[in-house]
Amino acid sequence: MDLEEAEEFKERCSQCAAVSWGLTDEGKYYCTSCHNVTERSQEVINTDLIPNTQIKALNRGLKKKNNSEKGWDWYVCEGFQNILCQQAEALKNLGIGPELKNDVLHNFWKRYLQKSKQAYCKNPVYTTGRKPTVLEDNLSHSDWASEPELLSDVSCPPFLESGAESQSDIHTRKPFPISKASQSETSVCSGSLDGVEYSQRKEKGVVKMTVPQTLAFCYLSLLWQREAITLSDLLRFVEEDHIPYINAFQHFPEQMKLYGRDRGIFGIESWPDYEDIYKKTIEVGTFLDLPRFPDITEDCYLHPNILCMKYLMEVNLPDEMHNLTCHVVKMTGMGEVDFLTFDPIAKMAKTVKYDVQAVAIIVVVLKLLFLLDDNLEWSLSNLAEKHNEKNKKDKPWFDFRKWYQIMKKAFDEKKQKWEEARAKYLWKSEKPLYYSFVDKPVAYKKREMVVNLQKQFSTLVDSTATAGKKSPSSFQFNWTEEDTDRTCFHGHSLQGVLKEKGQSLLTKNSLYWLSTQKFCRCYCTHVTTYEESNYSLSYQFILNLFSFLLRIKTSLLHEEVSLVEKKLFEKKYSVTKKKSRSKKARRH
Amino acid sequence: MSDFSEELKGPVTDDEVETSVLTGAGMHFPWLQTYIETVAIGGKRKKDFAQTTSACLSFIQEALLKHQWQQAAEYMYSYFQTLEDSDSYKRQAAPEIIWKLGSEILFYHPKSNMETFNTFADRMKNIGVMNYLKISLQHALYLLHHGMLKDAKRNLSEAETWRHGENTSSRGILINLIQAYKGLLQYYTWSKKKMELSRLDKDDYAYNAVAQDVFNHSWKTSANISALIKIPGVWDPFVKSYVEMLEFYGDRDGAQEVLTNYAYDEKFPSNPNAHIYLYNFLKRQKAPRSKMISVLKILYQIVPSHKLMLEFHTLLRKSEKEEHRKLGLEVLFGVLDFAGCTKNITAWKYLAKYLKKTLMGNHLAWVQDEWNSRKNWWPSFHFSYFWAKSDWKEDTALACEKAFVAGLLLGKGCRYFRYILKQDHQILGKKIKRMKRSVKKYSIVNPRLSY
């Protein structure tokens, strides 16, 4: 046994993780600290010394394998391109038109590469001074102009569509100047060519691509197409695994190896956060210098009138409330095209949180009708209950208490299920990410162990309990007239809470309280803070319910409610009265 | 160290916050760790991975509490991914948590069986060198629980000869424990053989073979156990079986040394059983009374209500030393202070007799010493009207003894005493009369002041 001969073998021992190898008489490596013998044999350098042909054969086999282990040469931006491609494909499967992928997202991405000087320009940013030939090359094959017009009408073979396959073609025929071998020997390494450099790159004014950023791209494209998907829907689909995001890298072509710094770039251990993606969307939109987006008009899904209808249905509130929400939208001017349309070039680029805003409008209407002070809503419910008992044949009055009881139960069940599903979420990919080749066997062994343990425990689990993924839906709650257990309130009337006055209807409740008294005057972006215990229980419940639907923080919704109120009671705000009266007559 | 603990020596990526500085120092403050983590990531929120896995852990714990083994197994399925946690501290802690929860689930789950448990244990053993011994030992205990002695023994032997990773002090103790358990198993077979031997006639042709077997077994076992019981700790079953074997082979001095060491070494935690074993041994050896008294004196300080206290009392009663005789009274009062001993007729009988004897011997001061601290609560604790009625109903002899004591301590006017006197009993009639006389003569209470 010779210790010195074994020095070239640098992998960690799978038993004790030490790197201290000796050679057995058969030429196999064994760990000197735990005596674990590996399957690997010494690579024979001097074949004269050991006249064993079998070892030579093994040796040759190993060397070939090493080459394939290193995989292709690829760039970080190609990784993101692959993820975007997967996401666009998934959106298409959700029923979004193919134009989104082929025209919009594709063009946004091209524009990004150009703006960040990674491609489609004369001097790409790479430190090596070499252009990312992959993309350039691909371009020259197509008949696109070198300066791509945004949303040009050129109907060209969609280059994103071919996805993985086309990339594999490119890779095999591309000779690359950077040698991988020299990189993997240094302590900092990556599977991609520019992973190390990319993770260190910091350039002013350039939006650096990250995995969450891919969702910003998706949302921008959806917005451009005025598709019927809100940001909260998109993020929920991500969480429900309908859109690739976490571990999207595991669907990269086999030969695109990820390790080292790539782990920090592509490995994601959190679900996307609404505010974060919202901010990134604006950032990307401004960075790409996009023109004004197509108008959001009254017939668009994202228009508050339509979204309000949708959310009223979702939370089982009477259809009649829609008239009131429309009225609020009209009075606040939140239905205006200029207000709703995203214009990145405008002085203050901002887009509307369509879903949050629609929900906030509903909250405001609920406050107008029921005050939500833990008092009035209950006495109004008593009236409704009595009325409904007496007049069983008429259209029933909306009973807030009954609605609360049903919604509370449904909401608690839903939330419990959601929490359980989250706790069961499997984060780790089939392809483990490791830091370097030295750690690779350990990472793979660990993965194998987890898989084995899971296999063992899966026999203990009731097979009926693990039903497959639920199909994507923009509705999370379902209310139908047929369901006898859960009353559907869509058809209930608001007569109990409105009174006629001449030609118009007035809310019986003439009081109102503002969610926020004073707005922050400093330059910070937050409008107000939400301290739960300061508010009535009904208000808390309604905020919790809606913020759960949108998967956002309650404080964000509270903030939006305050903003809607600010617009609705502009005059009152300048006086800052504690309780302002809303004497606005509402047409019915 | 574990094979995963070293693996993070590679480059640190952007999103990776290494905290090995803290964990490596041998000290670990969880609160400090989380605090530093949040500082290091610039106040960003915890990763969802960390949130969901900790939620998963609490779901498992909840399911285990409610005995919902199926649900627990479902969550466990997801919890395995903590073995791949990018936080090295959590990753290192994962195997132990998984072993504990997983073995609990497999122990109770209706679909689980020996085979699944064994595969699970073998897998977990090899997940890192840190836990091999601990898991082997617990695995062996599981097998023992299911009566698979041979498998348990093989398991322990495997663990004993296992040599991987560094040698640490905690590991030394584990090895000792494993060897001792092996020894205990050997003791079990030995003990069975011994039983067999005792049933055989000396002239039986099988006698010699079995006897040989019994002798061959012993030396291995003693070597296995002796190392462990030198380490401070509570090793009752080991000590007991070890001593039994030493005694069997006539090594009395050795046995006494072991027991004395186990009872008196200050490094060992206070353990009443140690003194009980020593006392029983001395009793078997017919040791001098003073020696036994000194052993029981310590037991008296630890467990004054132990049933051996009555034996202690008889020893003290027979002693020539006045100091011992006073202690004898103290011990009896001490025993009856405990609610569990209130119906112990022997204790009451001893107390009645000894009180009379003490008072006859003009040691009123001794009695008063004991009584002063008890006169506030003993009357209602022992001598209430209720107790008189129920004691008489259940056990007249006990009631008589108690009545006598009550009379002596509280005077003839005391309710308990009066109630028993009133009872008309044919057999006990004479005894009660005698009692009445004694009370009149010896009661410590001035009759005019009694109630």
Side-chain angles (χ1 to χ4, degrees):
Chain A
M1 295 200 241
D2 198 335
L3 287 181
E4 277 169 36
E5 273 178 54
E7 272 179 3
E8 300 144 45
F9 192 49
K10 286 281 192 278
E11 280 187 15
R12 287 187 188 282
C13 171
S14 55
Q15 275 289 352
C16 67
V19 188
S20 159
W21 298 100
L23 276 175
T24 63
D25 296 339
E26 292 144 342
K28 284 194 172 178
Y29 291 107
Y30 76 95
C31 177
T32 52
S33 65
C34 71
H35 304 281
N36 171 34
V37 180
T38 61
E39 291 302 304
R40 306 283 289 270
S41 303
Q42 185 196 14
E43 290 189 27
V44 186
I45 299 134
N46 194 343
T47 42
D48 299 338
L49 283 177
I50 304 168
N52 190 336
T53 45
Q54 207 189 339
I55 291 175
K56 267 189 265 173
L58 260 173
N59 178 24
R60 230 177 288 131
L62 263 177
K63 278 206 167 152
K64 248 188 198 165
K65 203 181 155 205
N66 265 347
N67 273 338
S68 69
E69 253 176 30
K70 294 213 166 120
W72 291 331
D73 293 328
W74 59 281
Y75 285 95
V76 170
C77 67
E78 288 176 274
F80 288 121
Q81 184 172 311
N82 185 296
I83 293 176
L84 279 172
C85 184
Q86 291 178 41
Q87 288 170 340
E89 199 60 45
L91 284 171
K92 211 165 89 183
N93 290 338
L94 288 176
I96 307 290
E99 311 82 42
L100 179 109
K101 182 184 171 188
N102 299 344
D103 301 332
V104 187
L105 185 57
H106 179 207
N107 273 310
F108 284 170
W109 179 240
K110 276 198 294 185
R111 208 170 161 108
Y112 172 76
L113 290 177
Q114 190 184 33
K115 290 269 176 196
S116 61
K117 299 213 169 103
Q118 296 187 67
Y120 307 111
C121 60
K122 278 177 187 152
N123 299 306
V125 295
Y126 291 100
T127 45
T128 49
R130 211 176 42 81
K131 298 174 185 181
T133 28
V134 184
L135 294 156
E136 280 262 290
D137 195 62
N138 200 329
L139 252 189
S140 62
H141 283 302
S142 69
D143 38 17
W144 295 335
S146 55
E147 282 279 10
E149 280 290 311
L150 181 72
L151 298 183
S152 58
D153 282 334
V154 195
S155 59
C156 49
F159 128 80
L160 275 163
E161 191 161 49
S162 42
E165 297 97 293
S166 77
Q167 273 166 356
S168 66
D169 293 344
I170 298 155
H171 277 288
T172 40
R173 57 188 150 85
K174 277 287 130 212
F176 276 87
I178 298 175
S179 102
K180 260 296 183 53
S182 64
Q183 247 190 24
S184 59
E185 268 160 36
T186 58
S187 58
V188 190
C189 57
S190 69
S192 55
L193 280 175
D194 58 341
V196 177
E197 187 251 338
Y198 189 88
S199 55
Q200 286 156 356
R201 192 190 297 164
K202 266 180 204 146
E203 210 179 318
K204 257 194 179 172
V206 175
V207 173
K208 205 167 135 183
M209 201 57 196
T210 58
V211 181
Q213 214 92 285
T214 57
L215 291 175
F217 271 94
C218 288
Y219 183 57
L220 269 184
S221 332
L222 287 168
L223 199 57
W224 187 278
Q225 288 297 95
R226 294 180 284 184
E227 289 288 352
I229 290 187
T230 60
L231 180 54
S232 61
D233 286 334
L234 179 73
L235 301 188
R236 189 161 50 82
F237 292 149
V238 167
E239 200 188 283
E240 288 168 5
D241 264 343
H242 297 302
I243 293 171
Y245 179 74
I246 284 150
N247 296 333
F249 63 84
Q250 66 182 344
H251 302 296
F252 284 5
E254 182 65 29
Q255 293 296 308
M256 271 171 88
K257 303 286 179 198
L258 288 102
Y259 57 89
R261 281 299 166 95
D262 303 331
R263 183 175 156 150
I265 300 169
F266 293 103
I268 288 287
E269 295 203 327
S270 280
W271 284 295
D273 171 63
Y274 188 99
E275 281 167 279
D276 181 47
I277 303 297
Y278 173 77
K279 247 185 248 157
K280 286 196 159 72
T281 306
I282 297 177
E283 225 173 78
V284 172
T286 337
F287 176 68
L288 296 186
D289 208 15
L290 294 174
R292 186 178 148 118
F293 273 50
D295 287 348
I296 305 283
T297 49
E298 268 184 57
D299 53 347
C300 287
Y301 180 72
L302 295 178
H303 191 275
N305 284 352
I306 294 180
L307 276 179
C308 278
M309 192 68 211
K310 188 237 161 186
Y311 288 116
L312 283 174
M313 274 166 75
E314 173 103 58
V315 297
N316 201 8
L317 283 168
D319 299 336
E320 280 181 25
M321 270 179 72
H322 191 232
N323 294 322
L324 294 162
T325 61
C326 288
H327 203 85
V328 170
V329 167
K330 205 170 163 195
M331 282 178 58
T332 51
M334 288 191 298
E336 308 283 316
V337 173
D338 286 341
F339 176 79
L340 291 171
T341 308
F342 179 37
D343 188 0
I345 332 178
K347 237 184 196 172
M348 269 273 284
K350 64 161 192 61
T351 168
V352 177
K353 295 165 187 157
Y354 302 97
D355 35 13
V356 185
Q357 183 191 275
V359 160
I361 291 168
I362 296 176
V363 176
V364 168
V365 169
L366 279 170
K367 273 170 83 178
L368 282 170
L369 289 174
F370 297 101
L371 193 63
L372 304 184
D373 65 344
D374 280 348
N375 191 10
L376 188 72
E377 63 269 37
W378 306 126
S379 47
L380 286 172
S381 305
N382 290 340
L383 287 178
E385 201 184 337
K386 268 180 206 156
H387 175 268
N388 288 345
E389 268 173 29
K390 275 183 206 158
N391 311 289
K392 280 192 177 152
K393 276 179 192 162
D394 296 355
K395 194 176 176 187
W397 285 7
F398 177 70
D399 182 344
F400 185 86
R401 181 182 290 118
K402 227 170 142 195
W403 174 81
Y404 167 79
Q405 283 162 350
I406 282 169
M407 283 316 286
K408 170 90 177 132
K409 192 165 161 265
F411 166 64
D412 285 349
E413 276 167 16
K414 204 73 171 184
K415 194 159 182 193
Q416 176 74 21
K417 268 197 194 137
W418 175 74
E419 272 165 5
E420 285 172 8
R422 271 169 78 101
K424 283 181 190 166
Y425 189 81
L426 297 172
W427 291 92
K428 295 296 173 181
S429 77
E430 293 144 29
K431 268 198 225 167
L433 290 170
Y434 46 92
Y435 282 107
S436 62
F437 276 119
V438 178
D439 291 317
K440 189 181 172 182
V442 179
Y444 270 89
K445 200 199 163 195
K446 226 162 26 177
R447 181 93 274 267
E448 194 194 314
M449 219 133 55
V450 171
V451 170
N452 283 336
L453 286 168
Q454 285 178 337
K455 217 184 273 169
Q456 193 185 4
F457 268 69
S458 61
T459 58
L460 303 177
V461 174
D462 189 11
S463 50
T464 52
T466 49
K469 265 204 292 196
K470 55 181 171 184
S471 52
S473 161
S474 53
F475 281 96
Q476 296 170 68
F477 287 109
N478 251 329
W479 309 98
T480 46
E481 297 285 359
E482 289 91 60
D483 199 343
T484 44
D485 297 340
R486 309 196 308 171
T487 322
C488 171
F489 292 92
H490 291 156
H492 287 212
S493 113
L494 290 178
Q495 255 187 331
V497 288
L498 295 172
K499 59 184 174 194
E500 260 174 86
K501 195 181 180 191
Q503 283 233 301
S504 58
L505 279 167
L506 223 62
T507 55
K508 259 191 196 161
N509 160 42
S510 57
L511 298 171
Y512 197 83
W513 54 272
L514 294 169
S515 296
T516 302
Q517 310 288 322
K518 273 180 192 164
F519 283 90
C520 209
R521 285 203 188 170
C522 57
Y523 292 105
C524 65
T525 48
H526 76 268
V527 185
T528 170
T529 49
Y530 174 58
E531 175 62 49
E532 238 186 21
S533 54
N534 289 345
Y535 295 91
S536 68
L537 293 171
S538 332
Y539 182 68
Q540 280 178 41
F541 170 73
I542 281 162
L543 284 201
N544 283 334
L545 171 68
F546 279 116
S547 52
F548 170 73
L549 277 184
L550 304 183
R551 309 279 194 271
I552 55 170
K553 283 198 226 83
T554 23
S555 57
L556 182 67
L557 179 54
H558 176 76
E559 202 176 296
E560 197 70 29
V561 171
S562 308
L563 284 172
V564 174
E565 283 174 355
K566 193 183 175 189
K567 288 206 179 78
L568 193 60
F569 306 110
E570 217 157 0
K571 276 176 201 160
K572 301 280 171 187
Y573 257 105
S574 48
V575 193
T576 325
K577 270 188 183 173
K578 210 171 187 187
K579 270 183 184 169
S580 69
R581 284 170 175 258
S582 88
K583 285 183 178 167
K584 283 146 196 125
R586 306 182 186 288
R587 244 164 237 148
H588 202 65
Chain B
M1 290 302 260
S2 142
D3 54 347
F4 301 142
S5 58
E6 299 292 312
E7 118 194 65
L8 271 184
K9 293 241 170 102
V12 175
T13 50
D14 294 334
D15 70 330
E16 206 67 41
V17 186
E18 270 306 297
T19 41
S20 54
V21 201
L22 278 168
T23 50
M27 263 202 280
H28 178 67
F29 305 100
W31 54 271
L32 187 65
Q33 175 108 8
T34 48
Y35 178 70
I36 286 180
E37 264 170 26
T38 48
V39 171
I41 56 174
K44 270 190 231 161
R45 67 198 182 119
K46 220 164 120 191
K47 279 182 183 165
D48 285 336
F49 175 81
Q51 279 177 345
T52 59
T53 45
S54 73
C56 188
L57 179 62
S58 33
F59 274 121
I60 297 174
Q61 286 164 338
E62 200 187 317
L64 287 179
L65 268 179
K66 293 179 182 164
H67 291 216
Q68 298 165 334
W69 314 117
Q70 189 130 313
Q71 271 96 315
E74 266 172 52
Y75 287 114
M76 203 62 204
Y77 182 90
S78 302
Y79 195 69
F80 288 129
Q81 56 186 333
T82 50
L83 288 170
E84 293 179 276
D85 200 320
S86 49
D87 178 335
S88 64
Y89 167 70
K90 281 189 187 150
R91 187 177 51 232
Q92 279 174 53
E96 198 173 340
I97 300 173
I98 288 177
W99 162 248
K100 281 183 181 158
L101 297 173
S103 56
E104 186 85 356
I105 293 168
L106 290 178
F107 189 83
Y108 292 105
H109 198 289
K111 276 193 205 160
S112 159
N113 52 33
M114 287 293 286
E115 207 180 312
T116 33
F117 193 94
N118 290 343
T119 358
F120 179 67
D122 286 338
R123 278 208 181 111
M124 292 312 294
K125 272 180 217 172
N126 292 309
I127 240 162
V129 287
M130 298 270 273
N131 302 300
Y132 188 93
L133 293 178
K134 228 186 267 179
I135 295 175
S136 289
L137 185 56
Q138 284 171 25
H139 186 194
L141 293 180
Y142 171 85
L143 291 167
L144 274 183
H145 182 89
H146 287 267
M148 321 244 324
L149 261 65
K150 264 190 194 155
D151 292 272
K153 212 173 193 171
R154 199 190 52 236
N155 229 290
L156 291 171
S157 303
E158 265 170 33
E160 195 185 14
T161 52
W162 191 77
R163 299 267 177 277
H164 292 292
E166 293 165 35
N167 265 316
T168 53
S169 59
S170 65
R171 187 161 168 185
I173 295 172
L174 269 174
I175 287 273
N176 276 334
L177 205 56
I178 283 165
Q179 284 173 339
Y181 267 103
K182 217 178 117 188
L184 205 60
L185 282 176
Q186 282 161 350
Y187 160 81
Y188 179 73
T189 20
W190 175 82
S191 168
K192 263 204 321 208
K193 290 236 168 74
K194 205 180 77 175
M195 288 279 287
E196 219 175 295
L197 193 64
S198 65
R199 261 185 265 123
L200 286 175
D201 197 343
K202 266 201 179 174
D203 301 326
D204 197 307
Y205 68 96
Y207 183 85
N208 275 336
V210 176
Q212 196 63 39
D213 239 19
V214 171
F215 281 94
N216 280 344
H217 246 94
S218 62
W219 66 271
K220 277 193 278 176
T221 316
S222 49
N224 276 332
I225 295 182
S226 65
L228 177 75
I229 58 180
K230 285 194 186 105
I231 305 163
V234 178
W235 312 119
D236 291 352
F238 303 101
V239 170
K240 220 174 151 186
S241 43
Y242 186 45
V243 166
E244 191 188 330
M245 286 165 77
L246 285 176
E247 269 187 275
F248 184 80
Y249 295 109
D251 186 0
R252 278 180 207 152
D253 294 342
Q256 185 162 357
E257 197 193 318
V258 167
L259 285 171
T260 319
N261 182 54
Y262 191 52
Y264 288 111
D265 194 326
E266 279 178 5
K267 278 181 238 123
F268 280 64
S270 160
N271 179 3
N273 285 344
H275 303 283
I276 295 165
Y277 295 155
L278 182 58
Y279 169 74
N280 285 334
F281 174 79
L282 291 173
K283 207 164 123 188
R284 284 198 295 275
Q285 303 297 324
K286 307 221 163 45
R289 190 191 297 146
S290 62
K291 226 174 182 177
M292 299 207 278
I293 287 180
S294 63
V295 174
L296 286 178
K297 220 175 191 168
I298 300 173
L299 184 64
Y300 171 63
Q301 272 148 21
I302 315 174
V303 198
S305 64
H306 197 275
K307 60 177 183 218
L308 275 182
M309 287 303 113
L310 295 178
E311 259 177 66
F312 184 38
H313 165 78
T314 48
L315 284 175
L316 290 168
R317 197 169 59 192
K318 286 178 201 153
S319 172
E320 285 90 35
K321 283 192 197 165
E322 198 151 89
E323 176 198 344
H324 279 168
R325 293 210 299 274
K326 182 171 190 271
L327 185 62
L329 187 68
E330 200 183 312
V331 167
L332 282 178
F333 271 104
V335 168
L336 290 167
D337 278 342
F338 289 88
C341 304
T342 48
K343 295 206 170 150
N344 189 331
I345 183 161
T346 329
W348 284 110
K349 204 188 261 169
Y350 280 0
L351 183 60
K353 257 195 199 157
Y354 203 58
L355 262 179
K356 191 178 161 193
K357 194 178 159 195
T358 314
L359 290 169
M360 277 164 76
N362 275 333
H363 291 296
L364 182 66
W366 294 0
V367 180
Q368 262 159 352
D369 271 356
E370 297 307 317
W371 182 241
N372 278 340
S373 61
R374 292 181 175 87
K375 65 181 173 195
N376 289 332
W377 60 283
W378 266 38
S380 51
F381 183 61
H382 286 307
F383 304 131
S384 67
Y385 185 70
F386 165 78
W387 277 124
K389 264 200 325 204
S390 79
D391 284 345
W392 182 259
K393 214 169 166 187
E394 275 175 40
D395 187 351
T396 45
L398 172 75
C400 280
E401 300 299 341
K402 270 181 89 173
F404 188 33
V405 174
L408 286 176
L409 293 170
L410 291 166
K412 61 180 179 180
C414 130
R415 260 186 248 170
Y416 197 100
F417 183 67
R418 274 198 323 231
Y419 181 84
I420 303 299
L421 275 192
K422 264 193 272 166
Q423 306 304 316
D424 192 28
H425 199 281
Q426 292 168 336
I427 308 159
L428 289 172
K430 267 187 192 167
K431 199 180 173 186
I432 291 175
K433 256 184 203 160
R434 234 184 301 135
M435 189 169 84
K436 202 175 162 187
R437 232 178 295 135
S438 298
V439 166
K440 259 189 193 160
K441 207 166 171 191
Y442 300 112
S443 179
I444 59 167
V445 184
N446 188 336
R448 268 164 296 166
L449 294 176
S450 73
Y451 48 93

